[in-house]
Amino acid sequence: MGHVPGHDQPFLGPTLRLHHQSETAAEVSNALDEAISVHWHGLVVPGDVDGGPHQLVQPGQTWSPVLPIDQPPATVWYHSHTHGMTARQVQMGLAGVLHLTDGQDDARGLPTDYGVDDLTLVLQDRRFDQEGRMSYELSMPDQMMGFLGDTMLVNGQVGATAVVPKGVVRLRLLNGSNARIYTLTLSDGRPMHLVGADASLLDRPVVLDELTLAPGERYEVLVDFGDGRNLSLLSGQNINEGMMGGMMGGRRPSGPPFEVLPFTVDPAAPVRMTRIPDSLGGSRPNMDASNAAGRHITLDMAMGPGMMMRGAGNRFSINGQAFDMSKINFSTQVGQVEKWTVSANMMMHPFHVHGVMFQVLSENGQAPAPQNTGWKDTILINGQADILMRFTRPATEALPYMFHCHILEHEDGGMMGQFSVVA
């Protein structure tokens, strides 16, 4: 690449704050020497402005979509979605964060002072060569499991510390990693208060001791630093690393937790929020599934002794078919409600659907995990999950929506499909 990849800066891009009900004009000019795209991950917008692999911005070109945004306040993001190159382009920095806001968070008791008590945290793992340059050399395990780095980056920084006030702080957590699944805890065992899922705020906070964060997922949590003590955000080891031995058992790998981000309390910093709110004014989905059309989705990895020898395009598939840019896997209609039963073999796969918010009905036949009771657009499939969605935006066969694994090496390798929504 001729330039250091990023949006308006080297590596990553600015956090953009948009009204949750607005027409927003974007302008994407490509100064790199290869084609890119910009997908608005979490925005429920029509297929013709969704920014998937059919909407490439060639070198020297400018793409100027108008995004008709009409959805709840949430933390969403944007990243390149160029077929076969998504993993490398996101790895090298083509991503950023969007805040959808209605301006009412102060009334909700939610911190809103950006960078002070409202922290946007993009979690990514990377590798660096001997000269300190980011390295994306894929081994065979990297291709099968997805890329796992040995160095934590938060907002593109290595070794950063977050300085926070002696009060309640909001953490907007985004897993922007290619493949790593984080199991987040606080070092002194204090709780995290979940206030938002991928696509909306909740109705009330949910107290969690641990939060699983898969690639593509976003969660908003409140942490009370009112006692003035410093602490760290920790993660367990990547829970897919036990894949070959654990298969679908969800076995956790061994190894101590590692530090994601230390927090230092500044007693001189102004404190705006001192208590966790009881009510948030958001919502949880409670859709009617009685007339939903059913659909079965299997996220497939080639099994057996020949799995490592297969071409990358044949290792990964959905319902037995590797992604084909020229093939629409199915079509549905605006207003249609569908229940998808999504299952994964061999390992856990974060599953993302473009153009919708969905309700998690069940996970492995049980009630969904507490963190999955809000509106979602990405879910970690550990076995099987039932999700319910209503299509509200159109997408043509020429510019369809994607559904795929968000382990980016799997997506690039064929674990993706596409569908149209007829108005």
Side-chain angles (χ1 to χ4, degrees):
M1 290 187 175
H3 294 69
V4 177
H7 293 279
D8 293 345
Q9 62 192 29
F11 198 77
L12 297 182
T15 298
L16 305 176
R17 185 165 282 173
L18 310 175
H19 193 273
H20 74 121
Q21 294 176 322
S22 62
E23 292 232 330
T24 297
E27 187 170 283
V28 179
S29 297
N30 184 7
L32 302 174
D33 57 10
E34 65 184 72
I36 64 161
S37 74
V38 178
H39 166 53
W40 318 102
H41 181 133
L43 287 189
V44 182
V45 293
D48 61 1
V49 292
D50 184 57
H54 294 274
Q55 289 181 292
L56 296 185
V57 184
Q58 297 293 337
Q61 288 189 343
T62 296
W63 179 48
S64 302
V66 176
L67 307 173
I69 301 171
D70 184 12
Q71 60 190 94
T75 300
V76 300
W77 65 308
Y78 55 97
H79 62 81
S80 191
H81 209 306
T82 310
H83 181 49
M85 295 188 289
T86 298
R88 182 176 58 81
Q89 290 185 344
V90 172
Q91 172 83 13
M92 299 309 291
L94 292 182
V97 178
L98 302 169
H99 292 184
L100 300 183
T101 179
D102 61 2
Q104 300 301 309
D105 281 354
D106 277 335
R108 296 183 177 104
L110 293 176
T112 58
D113 194 352
Y114 182 79
V116 179
D117 63 5
D118 183 358
L119 305 184
T120 299
L121 304 178
V122 181
L123 309 187
Q124 296 173 304
D125 58 336
R126 295 290 184 266
R127 296 178 200 153
F128 294 88
D129 64 19
Q130 291 182 327
E131 271 126 34
R133 297 171 303 190
M134 272 193 301
S135 172
Y136 187 62
E137 300 292 328
L138 291 185
S139 66
M140 186 59 73
D142 292 333
Q143 293 179 43
M144 293 306 300
M145 304 273 303
F147 175 92
L148 297 175
D150 55 16
T151 303
M152 272 304 305
L153 273 65
V154 179
N155 298 344
Q157 299 178 72
V158 177
T161 295
V163 178
V164 295
K166 190 179 175 181
V168 174
V169 174
R170 177 187 201 165
L171 308 181
R172 300 175 188 253
L173 299 162
L174 159 65
N175 186 344
S177 301
N178 283 28
R180 183 173 294 277
I181 302 166
Y182 301 92
T183 51
L184 300 173
T185 59
L186 297 173
S187 57
D188 64 356
R190 77 181 63 189
M192 293 174 278
H193 301 265
L194 182 72
V195 296
D198 291 338
S200 78
L201 296 171
L202 303 180
D203 53 347
R204 64 185 185 279
V206 175
V207 178
L208 298 176
D209 294 321
E210 180 181 277
L211 177 66
T212 302
L213 187 67
E217 288 189 305
R218 293 90 59 212
Y219 288 104
E220 297 186 31
V221 301
L222 301 182
V223 178
D224 188 352
F225 290 92
D227 61 6
R229 291 188 308 191
N230 300 337
L231 56 88
S232 291
L233 183 66
L234 306 177
S235 175
Q237 298 298 319
N238 181 56
I239 56 180
N240 261 334
E241 288 180 278
M243 166 189 135
M244 294 302 177
M247 292 299 181
M248 286 310 300
R251 181 173 64 84
R252 298 288 177 91
S254 59
F258 60 91
E259 186 174 61
V260 175
L261 181 67
F263 293 91
T264 297
V265 178
D266 177 4
V271 175
R272 297 180 64 251
M273 302 293 177
T274 58
R275 59 180 295 274
I276 306 295
D278 298 320
S279 176
L280 301 167
S283 68
R284 294 190 215 210
N286 185 22
M287 298 174 66
D288 182 1
S290 57
N291 293 314
R295 202 176 294 281
H296 287 265
I297 307 288
T298 64
L299 309 176
D300 302 321
M301 293 177 65
M303 300 179 72
M307 63 185 296
M308 296 293 189
M309 304 305 295
R310 295 170 182 253
N314 297 319
R315 289 194 197 111
F316 306 104
S317 59
I318 292 182
N319 291 347
Q321 296 182 324
F323 179 65
D324 182 343
M325 284 277 283
S326 66
K327 179 174 181 178
I328 301 297
N329 296 87
F330 64 87
S331 180
T332 187
Q333 292 183 310
V334 170
Q336 177 68 52
V337 177
E338 293 192 0
K339 184 177 96 169
W340 292 13
T341 298
V342 187
S343 58
N345 73 357
M346 292 188 65
M347 61 187 283
M348 301 178 219
H349 297 275
F351 181 68
H352 174 50
V353 186
H354 291 209
V356 295
M357 304 185 299
F358 57 71
Q359 176 180 355
V360 182
L361 295 174
S362 66
E363 295 182 81
N364 295 316
Q366 306 295 315
Q371 71 177 68
N372 288 332
T373 56
W375 285 103
K376 298 280 291 169
D377 55 54
T378 308
I379 179 176
L380 182 62
I381 304 295
N382 179 15
Q384 182 173 296
D386 288 327
I387 61 177
L388 189 66
M389 66 195 81
R390 179 175 179 269
F391 301 95
T392 60
R393 298 287 200 178
T396 64
E397 291 197 359
L399 295 171
Y401 288 133
M402 305 290 122
F403 58 102
H404 59 88
C405 176
H406 220 284
I407 292 176
L408 299 183
E409 288 75 21
H410 292 179
E411 172 191 326
D412 282 344
M415 196 179 288
M416 181 160 65
Q418 54 189 355
F419 64 99
S420 61
V421 183
V422 179

